[in-house]
Structures are given as structure tokens and as C-alpha cells.
Amino acid sequence: MPFVLPYTSRLLWARTAALVCTCVAFSVAAHGGHLGNSGDLFIFCWSFSFAGTLLILLVEMFGLQTRMPVSWNNFPITFAGYAFLLCLSASVAFPINYLKENQWAGEVRDHRIVSTVFSCLATVAYLVEVSLARARPGEVAGYMATTPGLLKVCETFVACVIFVFVSNPVSYDRYPALKWCLAVYCICFVLSATIVVLCVGECTGWLPFPFSRFLSVYSFLAVAMYLTATIIWPVFQFDSRYSVQSHRPSNCNIPVSCPWDKLVGVAVLTALNLLLYLADLAYSARLVFVTG
């Protein structure tokens, strides 16, 4: 089988850099970081990104794109988008959880610092890859390489983070209005994820209606639903008429891990997803694309 080096050299170097950085990040953390079970999520972020990037490099170097059961116009940039968000999250959360502990010093702390640095470098590498691979105005490209496609990646990822925050501890079961917010997160996540899967699997032609019309209608409904959640969530979580904890408690010493901080995080992420869906609606209303 021929060994080839397709695509631009800049894209090749960006993927190679991401491969090396993620490998170093999870290897160093697993070897001497002493993370415990709580560090499994960070190891997953780096190792998953590493494995996917390695697969993409091997497939393109050996010219196996046509034999893959996915759209190669959509899959690599979709994976790069998720890998960027995973590494970005790890680069922020890892030092918060593991570099503020004074009891760990010396070699263990050095390992954690190295993992943090290479996680940041991997984040930059994936950002460069997405920038190089995304569709330019006038280009024929898969949907996931366009701005609305990349927005779908962000929307689903933000929803996943919201699910983590609302489930530990459970913070949506006190009022029916909060359950509506959860329904908004779930419905929009499922539909956005379905769009991503349809595009990556080249299945958009299976729909009994035009795909572009479906995108516009769905984006409008998602904006309306997220607008209600953006208003309802902070009212029922932080208004003293509905919540006994309307201010940050004094015993919240560790950022992010504090339940009150997670409630604030959900409110912020809900507003962020509303903005993403607004941008998605604006682009989807006028986008002309060719899915590959």
C-alpha cells in the first residue's frame, strides 16, 4: 500500500504537534502526576484526542479515506473541534484542581506542570488545525467545515458540560421550571448531536425534507428555548424567593467544585449556548453549502 503525504504541510505539522503534545500530556500525568481516580477525566481528554489524531494521520498517510465509513470532508475537522474543546477544558480545570495543592511539591508538581503546559500547546495546535481546515468563503466543503457546523460542535460540547454541572449534585429537581431548563438542554443537545452524526455519516439525504430548511427551523426553535432557560435558571436558583442560597457560601474554598459555583457555571453556559445558537441561526439562514 502506498505511503503518501497528502494535504498541506501546515495541516500536517499542526496535527503532528497535537499528537505529540497530547501524548506527552497524558503520559507524564499518568506516570508521575499521582492524580488518583479524580484525574481519569483529564487522562481521557488527552488520550482520546491523541488516539483520534493518530487515526486521522494514519488514514490520510496511507490513502484510506475512501474506505472509511464516514465523510472525510466532515470527520477530521469535527474531531479537531471536539479535541480542541477537550484540551481547552483540561488546560483550565487541571491546574485548578492539581496545582493549587501545597502538599504536593517537587517531582509530582513538576509532572503536573509539564502536563498543563503540553495540554495548552495541544489546545493551540488543534485551534490551528481547525483554522486551516475550515471552509473559506466560496469554497465547496462539507457542512462541518463551515461556521454553522463548527458552532454545532461547540453547542453540543457546552451542553455536555452543563449536564455534568447539573447532575453532581442534582440541581434541577426542586421546581418544574428547572426541569424545563433540563428539557431544553437535552432536546437541543440531541438534535444538534443528530445533525453532527448525519453530516459525518453522510446521511443528510435520508431526511424527508430539505436539510437546509431543517437547520434554519431548528436554530430558530433552539434560540427560543434557550432564551427561556437563560431567564428561568438564574431566577429559580439565585432569587431569594425561590432559593435559600442566593449568595456564594463562605465554605466554598475550591473553585468549580463548589455546588454554588456550578449553578453559576450553568447560568453562564446557558447564556453562552444562547449566543452560539443565535450565531448559528444567522449563518444558517443565509448559508449555501455542499455537503461532502
Side-chain angles (χ1 to χ4, degrees), residues 143 148 151-152 155 188 191-192 195 211-226 273-274 276-285:
Y143 176 75
L151 286 172
K152 294 293 188 302
E155 291 158 5
C188 292
L191 290 177
S192 293
I195 291 171
F211 185 54
S212 57
R213 183 179 303 173
F214 167 69
L215 292 173
S216 298
V217 172
Y218 164 60
S219 297
F220 176 79
L221 293 176
V223 167
M225 294 173 69
Y226 256 93
N273 243 3
L274 173 61
L276 292 173
Y277 277 110
L278 277 171
D280 196 351
L281 176 62
Y283 276 102
S284 296

Side-chain angles (χ1 to χ4, degrees), residues 25-244:
F26 79 78
S27 298
V28 171
H31 174 69
H34 291 274
L35 305 184
N37 293 333
S38 59
D40 291 346
L41 178 60
F42 302 109
I43 297 295
F44 168 79
C45 290
W46 297 322
S47 58
F48 176 80
S49 301
F50 168 82
T53 303
L54 178 61
L55 173 64
I56 291 171
L57 282 171
L58 291 177
V59 168
E60 296 208 345
M61 287 182 177
F62 288 100
L64 301 175
Q65 296 94 319
T66 57
R67 301 187 182 184
M68 300 298 291
V70 295
S71 167
W72 210 252
N73 289 332
N74 289 305
F75 176 74
I77 192 169
T78 302
F79 179 83
Y82 281 116
F84 163 72
L85 293 170
L86 285 171
C87 290
L88 176 63
S89 302
S91 299
V92 174
F94 185 79
I96 291 177
N97 285 274
Y98 289 102
L99 291 181
K100 283 194 171 184
E101 301 175 1
N102 295 324
Q103 68 268 31
W104 293 102
E107 188 174 340
V108 172
R109 187 175 182 83
D110 291 343
H111 279 76
R112 295 178 177 182
I113 291 174
V114 170
S115 292
T116 301
V117 171
F118 277 91
S119 179
C120 294
L121 293 175
T123 302
V124 174
Y126 282 118
L127 180 61
V128 172
E129 179 182 347
V130 171
S131 177
L132 292 173
R134 68 184 295 270
R136 299 296 187 270
E139 288 183 353
V140 177
Y143 176 75
M144 297 307 299
T146 64
T147 299
L150 294 174
L151 286 172
K152 294 293 188 302
V153 172
C154 296
E155 291 158 5
T156 53
F157 185 85
V158 170
C160 287
V161 179
I162 290 176
F163 293 145
V164 173
F165 282 179
V166 301
S167 61
N168 185 27
V170 175
S171 55
Y172 54 82
D173 57 349
R174 287 180 295 149
Y175 298 101
L178 295 177
K179 294 180 180 179
W180 162 252
C181 293
L182 180 66
V184 170
Y185 305 144
C186 292
I187 293 171
C188 292
F189 169 78
V190 169
L191 290 177
S192 293
T194 300
I195 291 171
V196 173
V197 172
L198 288 175
C199 291
V200 173
E202 291 188 307
C203 302
T204 56
W206 295 1
L207 297 175
F209 38 76
F211 185 54
S212 57
R213 183 179 303 173
F214 167 69
L215 292 173
S216 298
V217 172
Y218 164 60
S219 297
F220 176 79
L221 293 176
V223 167
M225 294 173 69
Y226 256 93
L227 180 60
T228 63
T230 303
I231 297 171
I232 291 173
W233 183 268
V235 169
F236 281 85
Q237 293 291 5
F238 306 119
D239 194 314
S240 57
R241 292 174 296 176
Y242 305 102
S243 175
V244 296

Side-chain angles (χ1 to χ4, degrees), residues 243-275:
S243 175
V244 296
Q245 193 67 64
S246 57
H247 300 283
R248 192 175 193 269
S250 57
N251 60 348
C252 278
N253 299 320
I254 303 177
V256 180
S257 298
C258 175
W260 196 88
D261 288 347
K262 291 182 179 180
L263 298 180
V264 175
V266 172
V268 172
L269 292 173
T270 301
L272 174 60
N273 243 3
L274 173 61
L275 295 177

